PDB file of all heavy atoms in Angstrom:
ATOM      1  N   CYS A  46     -12.618  10.157   2.659  1.00 98.00           N
ATOM      2  CA  CYS A  46     -14.054  10.303   2.662  1.00 98.00           C
ATOM      3  C   CYS A  46     -14.696   9.406   1.590  1.00 98.00           C
ATOM      4  O   CYS A  46     -14.028   8.967   0.579  1.00 98.00           O
ATOM      5  CB  CYS A  46     -14.385  11.735   2.362  1.00 98.00           C
ATOM      6  SG  CYS A  46     -16.156  12.050   2.361  1.00 98.00           S
ATOM      7  N   SER A  47     -15.919   9.057   1.787  1.00 98.00           N
ATOM      8  CA  SER A  47     -16.634   8.206   0.797  1.00 98.00           C
ATOM      9  C   SER A  47     -16.914   9.001  -0.497  1.00 98.00           C
ATOM     10  O   SER A  47     -17.318   8.294  -1.515  1.00 98.00           O
ATOM     11  CB  SER A  47     -17.962   7.690   1.368  1.00 98.00           C
ATOM     12  OG  SER A  47     -17.728   6.908   2.496  1.00 98.00           O
ATOM     13  N   ASP A  48     -16.772  10.260  -0.475  1.00 98.00           N
ATOM     14  CA  ASP A  48     -17.059  11.091  -1.683  1.00 98.00           C
ATOM     15  C   ASP A  48     -16.426  10.523  -2.970  1.00 98.00           C
ATOM     16  O   ASP A  48     -15.265  10.154  -2.929  1.00 98.00           O
ATOM     17  CB  ASP A  48     -16.489  12.512  -1.375  1.00 98.00           C
ATOM     18  CG  ASP A  48     -16.935  13.552  -2.464  1.00 98.00           C
ATOM     19  OD1 ASP A  48     -16.666  13.296  -3.609  1.00 98.00           O
ATOM     20  OD2 ASP A  48     -17.469  14.616  -2.111  1.00 98.00           O
ATOM     21  N   VAL A  51     -12.925  11.622  -4.388  1.00 98.00           N
ATOM     22  CA  VAL A  51     -11.722  11.610  -3.595  1.00 98.00           C
ATOM     23  C   VAL A  51     -11.252  10.202  -3.297  1.00 98.00           C
ATOM     24  O   VAL A  51     -10.862   9.872  -2.143  1.00 98.00           O
ATOM     25  CB  VAL A  51     -11.853  12.473  -2.361  1.00 98.00           C
ATOM     26  CG1 VAL A  51     -11.994  13.945  -2.647  1.00 98.00           C
ATOM     27  CG2 VAL A  51     -12.966  11.999  -1.442  1.00 98.00           C
ATOM     28  N   ASN A  69     -15.106   6.648   4.955  1.00 98.00           N
ATOM     29  CA  ASN A  69     -16.392   6.846   5.589  1.00 98.00           C
ATOM     30  C   ASN A  69     -16.809   8.271   5.313  1.00 98.00           C
ATOM     31  O   ASN A  69     -16.105   9.036   4.638  1.00 98.00           O
ATOM     32  CB  ASN A  69     -16.239   6.553   7.149  1.00 98.00           C
ATOM     33  CG  ASN A  69     -15.219   7.438   7.770  1.00 98.00           C
ATOM     34  OD1 ASN A  69     -15.114   8.602   7.486  1.00 98.00           O
ATOM     35  ND2 ASN A  69     -14.471   6.867   8.734  1.00 98.00           N
ATOM     36  N   VAL A  70     -17.941   8.683   5.899  1.00 98.00           N
ATOM     37  CA  VAL A  70     -18.457   9.992   5.643  1.00 98.00           C
ATOM     38  C   VAL A  70     -17.561  11.062   6.356  1.00 98.00           C
ATOM     39  O   VAL A  70     -17.326  10.957   7.599  1.00 98.00           O
ATOM     40  CB  VAL A  70     -19.838  10.161   6.250  1.00 98.00           C
ATOM     41  CG1 VAL A  70     -20.392  11.638   6.180  1.00 98.00           C
ATOM     42  CG2 VAL A  70     -20.835   9.266   5.408  1.00 98.00           C
ATOM     43  N   ALA A  71     -16.878  11.905   5.550  1.00 98.00           N
ATOM     44  CA  ALA A  71     -16.065  13.008   6.073  1.00 98.00           C
ATOM     45  C   ALA A  71     -14.731  12.536   6.686  1.00 98.00           C
ATOM     46  O   ALA A  71     -14.221  13.233   7.466  1.00 98.00           O
ATOM     47  CB  ALA A  71     -16.824  13.886   7.079  1.00 98.00           C
ATOM     48  N   ASN A  72     -14.271  11.343   6.272  1.00 98.00           N
ATOM     49  CA  ASN A  72     -12.987  10.821   6.667  1.00 98.00           C
ATOM     50  C   ASN A  72     -12.761  11.032   8.248  1.00 98.00           C
ATOM     51  O   ASN A  72     -11.691  11.575   8.580  1.00 98.00           O
ATOM     52  CB  ASN A  72     -11.820  11.418   5.851  1.00 98.00           C
ATOM     53  CG  ASN A  72     -11.883  12.921   5.605  1.00 98.00           C
ATOM     54  OD1 ASN A  72     -12.500  13.385   4.654  1.00 98.00           O
ATOM     55  ND2 ASN A  72     -11.318  13.668   6.563  1.00 98.00           N
ATOM     56  N   HIS A 108     -10.872  16.756   2.488  1.00 98.00           N
ATOM     57  CA  HIS A 108     -11.083  17.352   1.181  1.00 98.00           C
ATOM     58  C   HIS A 108     -12.092  18.529   1.226  1.00 98.00           C
ATOM     59  O   HIS A 108     -12.977  18.587   2.146  1.00 98.00           O
ATOM     60  CB  HIS A 108     -11.539  16.288   0.146  1.00 98.00           C
ATOM     61  CG  HIS A 108     -12.948  15.927   0.262  1.00 98.00           C
ATOM     62  ND1 HIS A 108     -13.965  16.415  -0.504  1.00 98.00           N
ATOM     63  CD2 HIS A 108     -13.616  15.119   1.221  1.00 98.00           C
ATOM     64  CE1 HIS A 108     -15.155  15.863  -0.144  1.00 98.00           C
ATOM     65  NE2 HIS A 108     -14.934  15.027   0.930  1.00 98.00           N
ATOM     66  N   GLN A 110     -15.263  20.844  -0.246  1.00 98.00           N
ATOM     67  CA  GLN A 110     -16.561  20.529  -0.703  1.00 98.00           C
ATOM     68  C   GLN A 110     -17.148  19.256  -0.005  1.00 98.00           C
ATOM     69  O   GLN A 110     -17.866  18.473  -0.656  1.00 98.00           O
ATOM     70  CB  GLN A 110     -16.747  20.411  -2.136  1.00 98.00           C
ATOM     71  CG  GLN A 110     -16.505  21.714  -2.919  1.00 98.00           C
ATOM     72  CD  GLN A 110     -16.836  21.561  -4.427  1.00 98.00           C
ATOM     73  OE1 GLN A 110     -17.275  20.557  -4.921  1.00 98.00           O
ATOM     74  NE2 GLN A 110     -16.528  22.656  -5.189  1.00 98.00           N
ATOM     75  N   CYS A 111     -16.756  18.972   1.194  1.00 98.00           N
ATOM     76  CA  CYS A 111     -17.194  17.744   1.856  1.00 98.00           C
ATOM     77  C   CYS A 111     -18.628  17.865   2.331  1.00 98.00           C
ATOM     78  O   CYS A 111     -18.977  18.739   3.099  1.00 98.00           O
ATOM     79  CB  CYS A 111     -16.255  17.388   3.079  1.00 98.00           C
ATOM     80  SG  CYS A 111     -16.724  15.783   3.880  1.00 98.00           S
ATOM     81  N   GLY A 112     -19.463  16.935   1.828  1.00 97.00           N
ATOM     82  CA  GLY A 112     -20.899  17.007   2.114  1.00 97.00           C
ATOM     83  C   GLY A 112     -21.162  16.696   3.666  1.00 97.00           C
ATOM     84  O   GLY A 112     -22.128  17.294   4.220  1.00 97.00           O
ATOM     85  N   GLY A 113     -20.375  15.836   4.203  1.00 97.00           N
ATOM     86  CA  GLY A 113     -20.525  15.558   5.587  1.00 97.00           C
ATOM     87  C   GLY A 113     -20.325  16.736   6.506  1.00 97.00           C
ATOM     88  O   GLY A 113     -21.019  17.079   7.463  1.00 97.00           O
TER      89      GLY A 113
HETATM   90 ZN1  LIG B 301     -16.313  14.309   2.189  1.00 89.62          ZN
END
Side-chain angles (χ1 to χ4, degrees):
C46 181
S47 299
D48 190 305
V51 294
N69 61 37
V70 173
N72 47 271
H108 75 102
Q110 291 188 7
C111 184

